[in-house]
Amino acid sequence: KPAAPAAKPAAPAAAPKAAAAPKAAAAPKAAAAATTAAPNGEGAAELEAKVTEQGDKVRSLKAAKAAKEEIDAAVATLKQLKADLEAQGKTEKGGGAAGASEGKKEKSGGGGGGKPAKKEETALAKNPAKGGGLDIKKAEDVPGWYEQVIMKAELIEQYPVKGCFILRPWSYRIWELIQGWFDKEIKSMGVENCYFPMFIPKCYMDKESDHLSDFAPELAMVTKFGDTELEEPVAIRPTSETAMYAAYSNWVQSHRDLPIKLNQWCSVVRWEVKQTTPFLRTREFLWQEGHTAFADKPSAEKEVLEILELYAGVYEKLLAIPVVRGTKTKAETFPGADYTTTVEAYIPATGRAIQGATSHHLGQNFSKMFEISFQDPNDPSGKKREFAQQNSWGITQRTIGVMTMVHGDDKGLVLPPAIACFQVVVVPVGLSAKATQEEKEKVRTTCMSYYMKLSSAGIRTKLDDKDQSPGWKFNYWEMKGIPLRIELGPKDIDKGEFVMAKRNVLDKDLGKVVGKDATLAQDVQRVLDDIQKEMYDGALATRDANLASVDTWKDFSPNLNQGKMLLVPFCGMKDCEEMIKDKSKEEAADVEVAGGLKMGAKSLCVPHEDKFNVNCPAKCINPDCPSGKKVERRTLFGRSY
């Protein structure tokens, strides 16, 4: 059951109402800015020209690699000019603070407050309008924002079977890039790809009844074909242990037949009865599942951690998302496994953790069930048989949903360069209606030359030469999240340079960098590398700011309700964990909770890295702990998908 879509709440929880409070408080600042804007009597046009000029200066300083103090001073001036321009615009519209306030009232439905607007946004989320930008802010309504982003960025399309969604080429390409990286890595470890049938016969289900009982509520069955009832119904795989291990039993007779290292890329079906959410919880989803068998335990356990590190690599190297590597508690261990290891990510917008992927050590539990055994090479009689040591591991399309939730913003999707379908889009600019045919041809041929050079350098590039305005193209590709946009016009060509706009920086001036025609591929690759690092570093800083070490219960719920993950001393017992879950849910009932969802905390993992285990108390965090067991390591707790 590696990395299956969670069996907990279906949709990302809405941010608390309190998150919107800073906006209401912004009006006085706007008023103050309006009274001090344009001290020299400058109008909006003059200020806009100064902003443009200062923006060019900032880009030039960056391109020239000027001293940090000089760049910082220029950036500060640019920010002040923008503030002056914004304030001047409000003054000219006759709004000031009052105008801003009235505008907000009107937007939220006049005297009715914010609730009517909330209902309207939810309706928009269910049927988002085609084209245009997002109608919903991420900080105000995470579920509605998420639904709009995945539709308008063309990741998915609706499908008439509940809980099933069409993966459009934009999202499937992301999955292919993840697949390509991971597949290469596991093949270097000696893993081979295969494919087993999706139908599981009753005889296999009976043999593994204890294991499949965990999936029973979600097990989809085929009972007839046409109008004819099947003599023996078959299940559609929720996971493939049953289908694969019977074959392993036939293949293994000697220790020389081991190890077996197989993986399959496929879809599985789990007939979710709760509300579904694209990528995070669906009835059919894509994944890979690896199933390996070894003659000895040390080799199997070594692979468990090697695979776990590859999963961490998917998130950290490709998706630019930091994860905590750890081992699940007994309550969260995969049924039939000796132990389960996991990588856990954090969603700042909802203050919740999410399981990224899992790698299980099954021990001999399944090999005894399916008779995967071999003659013990150390037994002189030749009669003793040993059972194989097994692992299973997997990662799903959930990766795409986690990436969207962590990096997406109010302009749409934000793709890390490592898994972007296109890393760069080249957009011709600066051609007015008065442009000559010669100018148009020069821009067209130079843009094509850029496309060819970048593609030859291994950079995934899109040339957008469609008959639409540059502004339309900017908005379209920003929604789809392409990491880097190259703007190329006649003046740029004459100067032997081009402008790069970074998608991960919202400020349209601060996010621009000048490149040189002579070093096109090198400049573009350098900025792509910068974007990948900036996205990871930003996500890491946010994750760490929401990670708290808590030693006593009085600090548990207050930190949890702020949307934090908690590192706590915990005995590891199932009964104690249930008590913590119930107690934290009860204590959240009458308080404001970050993310809005007042669910109890659950254990996420016991982190492997020592940096998460500083000064661990010996006593369990639960004051009513029934075990009295001495604690040796901290356990990560939090609200989770």
Side-chain angles (χ1 to χ4, degrees), residues 37-344:
N40 298 320
E42 294 172 316
E46 290 85 353
L47 281 170
E48 189 169 351
K50 285 195 170 188
V51 167
T52 301
E53 182 182 350
Q54 189 66 18
D56 291 340
K57 181 179 178 181
V58 170
R59 288 193 293 273
S60 297
L61 288 171
K62 288 182 177 179
K65 297 183 178 179
K68 184 178 184 301
E69 305 81 59
E70 190 178 358
I71 294 175
D72 289 346
V75 169
T77 302
L78 177 60
K79 287 182 176 178
Q80 183 58 53
L81 284 169
K82 287 187 172 185
D84 291 347
L85 178 60
E86 183 180 358
Q88 178 72 0
K90 289 176 181 175
T91 303
E92 290 180 356
K93 289 176 184 176
S101 177
E102 287 172 6
K104 288 183 181 178
K105 285 182 182 177
E106 189 176 318
K107 197 171 184 180
S108 62
K115 289 188 178 179
K118 183 76 170 181
K119 289 182 180 178
E120 183 181 345
E121 287 175 355
T122 303
L124 285 168
K126 290 180 180 177
N127 296 290
K130 292 185 177 181
L134 301 177
D135 302 308
I136 301 173
K137 301 292 185 185
K138 185 178 184 181
E140 296 171 1
D141 179 4
V142 179
W145 168 86
Y146 180 76
E147 290 178 20
Q148 283 207 343
V149 167
I150 59 177
M151 287 292 290
K152 291 195 172 189
E154 299 175 347
L155 293 177
I156 69 152
E157 184 56 65
Q158 302 293 337
Y159 193 71
V161 177
K162 183 185 175 185
C164 296
F165 303 90
I166 298 166
L167 298 189
R168 298 185 66 176
W170 201 246
S171 60
Y172 197 81
R173 179 58 177 148
I174 296 171
W175 180 244
E176 284 183 325
L177 290 165
I178 293 171
Q179 182 182 33
W181 183 87
F182 186 78
D183 200 64
K184 180 181 178 182
E185 294 294 328
I186 60 174
K187 282 178 178 173
S188 72
M189 295 170 58
V191 177
E192 298 177 291
N193 284 327
C194 63
Y195 187 80
F196 280 70
M198 69 185 301
F199 300 114
I200 300 175
K202 188 174 184 300
C203 59
Y204 286 3
M205 289 188 283
D206 290 343
K207 181 175 286 191
E208 203 184 5
S209 59
D210 289 343
H211 173 62
L212 283 178
S213 64
D214 186 59
F215 298 100
E218 304 165 2
L219 203 60
M221 303 290 296
V222 178
T223 60
K224 62 189 297 185
F225 65 95
D227 294 327
T228 305
E229 296 287 336
L230 288 178
E231 289 184 13
E232 183 176 284
V234 294
I236 301 175
R237 65 170 166 239
T239 180
S240 296
E241 282 82 1
T242 50
M244 299 177 79
Y245 296 167
Y248 283 25
S249 177
N250 293 331
W251 298 341
V252 176
Q253 298 299 322
S254 164
H255 69 281
R256 297 182 183 87
D257 297 323
L258 295 169
I260 295 175
K261 299 183 179 182
L262 297 184
N263 175 71
Q264 66 173 356
W265 296 91
C266 61
S267 69
V268 291
V269 173
R270 297 179 187 173
W271 208 257
E272 296 276 0
V273 294
K274 298 178 182 179
Q275 183 180 348
T276 54
T277 301
F279 301 115
L280 302 181
R281 176 206 291 272
T282 55
R283 286 182 170 174
E284 181 187 14
F285 57 90
L286 299 175
W287 77 347
Q288 62 71 216
E289 51 178 323
H291 296 272
T292 56
F294 296 83
D296 64 292
K297 188 179 182 73
S299 297
E301 292 191 310
K302 179 173 179 286
E303 186 203 61
V304 169
L305 295 180
E306 289 174 343
I307 293 295
L308 189 71
E309 195 56 36
L310 291 183
Y311 289 150
V314 169
Y315 280 92
E316 295 183 340
K317 295 178 181 179
L318 304 187
L319 302 174
I321 297 172
V323 292
V324 177
R325 304 150 175 82
T327 300
K328 288 288 189 182
T329 62
K330 285 297 180 184
E332 297 294 326
T333 297
F334 176 59
D338 279 3
Y339 58 86
T340 291
T341 64
T342 179
V343 290
E344 300 285 329

Side-chain angles (χ1 to χ4, degrees), residues 480-518:
K480 291 179 73 71
I482 285 189
L484 192 63
R485 180 178 72 241
I486 289 180
E487 301 168 12
L488 190 62
K491 292 181 181 179
D492 301 309
I493 296 170
D494 290 342
K495 290 188 287 186
E497 59 187 35
F498 57 94
V499 175
M500 293 176 277
K502 296 159 68 173
R503 176 63 183 88
N504 65 311
V505 180
L506 280 173
D507 188 296
K508 64 180 181 180
D509 290 308
L510 297 178
K512 290 192 175 180
V513 183
V514 175
K516 299 294 183 182
D517 179 86

